[in-house]
């Protein structure tokens, strides 16, 4: 496991990026990094400060802060990621695509498109057009305000499934000093973008949207279908009859902290928004209303 952790860092694209100590990983110091990950050394470990740089956001003029840990910290974080990833993966949401092996943004877009897809009217058989009645769908695109900077440290320390005797080891990465052009700042919440363990912690923090999206009831009256049947076929049904009821379906598609919720019932989506607010508040997070919206 120790060799695998060091090898992962050595083969990564950022292995030539140094932290505050200016050390990079080379063939000459590989064995020393492996020795530093021995079990007895874990309890003597002290995290180093983080070097901050700013990189341009894709397609924008804004800059994104990036924290670069030292090589020693990256090796130690990778060791913990190798242990933590299988646990987090087992509890991951079905429609979560970010920072997971074998998953990518293209799959997220594809599954979301398939979920929203409606068969064109011209391609529907005229003799069985009732089969192709399409319910309206409500799409809620939500933006979490400063996700990586605002996750509660207390919540992470209490909930991350790592044995308590190793808490002093990994919790140091949450509060490491940040160095930028001679200035030193202390992190009080969140975790730096650029850390090795950050993606795993971000997925762990937001896992649970599948359960959160479960409707409060199985079916509901569908006024749109009732109106459709009345106007096109002259058929009238009471609200309790199955012909004018719909199975409630809600699904959250997530890539890292970008989330799109699709529901076929507006009232259920309104209830879900309240549950999402509570879910995020427990983790020290909140929705950015300026960038979040709902469309029909």
């Amino acid at each position: 496991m120790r060799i695998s952790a060091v090898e992962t860092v050595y083969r990564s694209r950022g292995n030539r990026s140094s932290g505050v100590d200016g050390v990079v990983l080379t063939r000459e110091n590989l064995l020393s990094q492996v020795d530093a990950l021995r079990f007895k050394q874990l309890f003597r470990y002290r995290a180093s400060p983080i070097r901050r740089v700013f990189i341009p956001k894709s397609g924008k003029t804004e800059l994104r802060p990036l924290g670069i840990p030292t090589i020693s910290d990256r090796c130690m974080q990778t060791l913990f990621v190798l242990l933590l990833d299988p646990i987090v993966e087992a509890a991951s949401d079905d429609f979560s695509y970010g920072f997971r092996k074998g998953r990518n943004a293209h799959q997220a877009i594809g599954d979301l498109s398939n979920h929203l897809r409606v068969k064109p009217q011209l391609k529907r058989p005229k003799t069985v057009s009732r089969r192709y009645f399409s319910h309206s769908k409500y799409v809620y695109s939500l933006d979490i305000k400063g996700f990586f900077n605002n996750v509660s440290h207390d919540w992470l320390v209490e909930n991350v499934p790592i044995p308590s005797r190793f808490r002093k080891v990994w919790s140091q990465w949450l509060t490491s000093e940040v160095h930028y052009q001679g200035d030193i700042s202390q992190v009080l919440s969140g975790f730096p973008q650029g850390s090795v363990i950050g993606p795993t912690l971000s997925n762990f923090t937001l896992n649970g949207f599948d359960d959160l999206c479960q409707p409060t009831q199985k079916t509901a009256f569908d006024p749109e279908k009732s109106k459709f049947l009345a106007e096109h076929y002259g058929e009238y049904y009471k609200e309790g009859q199955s012909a004018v009821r719909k199975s409630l379906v809600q699904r959250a598609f997530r890539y890292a902290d970008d989330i799109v919720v699709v529901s076929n019932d507006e009232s259920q989506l309104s209830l879900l928004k309240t549950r999402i607010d509570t879910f995020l508040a427990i983790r020290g997070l909140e929705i950015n209303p300026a960038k979040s919206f709902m469309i029909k």
Side-chain angles (χ1 to χ4, degrees), residues 30-287:
L30 281 176
L31 290 180
S32 63
Q33 295 297 335
V34 173
D35 289 337
L37 299 182
R38 292 182 181 276
F39 182 80
K40 292 182 179 180
Q41 300 292 336
L42 294 179
F43 302 100
R44 302 174 186 173
Y45 169 78
R46 294 294 179 270
S48 302
I50 296 170
R51 180 170 70 91
R52 171 163 289 175
V53 297
F54 287 86
I55 59 174
K57 289 185 177 182
S58 178
K60 299 181 181 179
T61 57
E62 301 175 10
L63 296 177
R64 183 193 304 277
L66 193 67
I68 302 179
T70 62
I71 289 296
S72 297
D73 288 345
R74 268 179 269 177
C75 291
M76 186 67 74
Q77 288 185 30
T78 304
L79 179 65
F80 275 72
V81 167
L82 292 175
L83 297 171
L84 187 59
D85 252 354
I87 302 173
V88 176
E89 182 65 26
S92 291
D93 295 328
D94 291 339
F95 296 95
S96 168
Y97 301 88
F99 308 132
R100 297 179 66 186
K101 293 179 181 179
R103 298 202 174 198
N104 54 51
H106 298 289
Q107 292 174 329
I109 294 171
D111 285 350
L112 177 58
S113 298
N114 287 334
H115 192 66
L116 292 172
R117 185 176 58 186
V118 175
K119 193 166 187 177
Q121 185 74 35
L122 294 176
K123 294 184 178 180
R124 300 176 187 176
K126 294 182 180 180
T127 56
V128 289
S129 58
R130 287 182 61 179
R131 288 180 53 201
Y132 294 100
F133 170 78
S134 299
H135 305 282
S136 293
K137 292 182 179 177
Y138 301 86
V139 180
Y140 179 40
S141 176
L142 61 101
D143 180 84
I144 301 176
K145 185 183 293 183
F147 171 71
F148 287 94
N149 298 326
N150 293 317
V151 178
S152 169
H153 286 175
D154 291 338
W155 185 88
L156 286 172
V157 170
E158 290 297 324
N159 290 277
V160 171
I162 294 179
S164 57
R165 60 176 174 171
F166 298 118
R167 183 176 295 174
K168 289 185 178 179
V169 179
W170 72 269
S171 62
Q172 298 178 59
W173 302 322
L174 301 178
T175 56
S176 296
E177 292 181 345
V178 177
H179 290 199
Y180 176 67
Q181 294 183 348
D183 294 331
I184 301 175
S185 58
Q186 188 71 42
V187 178
L188 300 178
S189 61
F191 36 82
Q193 297 186 54
S195 62
V196 178
I197 202 170
T200 301
L201 292 181
S202 67
N203 270 340
F204 175 78
T205 302
L206 293 177
N207 277 344
F209 264 83
D210 280 357
D211 295 333
L212 207 62
C213 287
Q214 293 298 319
T216 56
Q217 59 192 65
K218 292 184 178 181
T219 64
F221 171 64
D222 190 346
E224 289 182 331
K225 189 172 184 180
S226 178
K227 183 179 179 181
F228 173 82
L229 294 176
E231 291 180 351
H232 290 79
Y233 300 99
E235 298 177 2
Y236 298 89
Y237 297 90
K238 295 181 180 180
E239 291 188 10
Q241 292 182 277
S242 60
V244 290
R245 296 189 70 80
K246 59 184 176 183
S247 298
L248 297 178
V249 179
Q250 290 186 138
R251 193 163 289 166
F253 298 85
R254 179 169 67 83
Y255 188 90
D257 60 326
D258 296 319
I259 306 168
V260 175
V261 180
V262 181
S263 176
N264 65 347
D265 188 79
E266 187 175 13
S267 61
Q268 284 293 319
L269 186 55
S270 297
L271 293 173
L272 176 61
K273 289 170 69 176
T274 303
R275 296 202 299 270
I276 290 175
D277 288 338
T278 303
F279 176 86
L280 295 177
I282 293 172
R283 292 153 174 77
L285 302 168
E286 61 179 338
I287 290 175

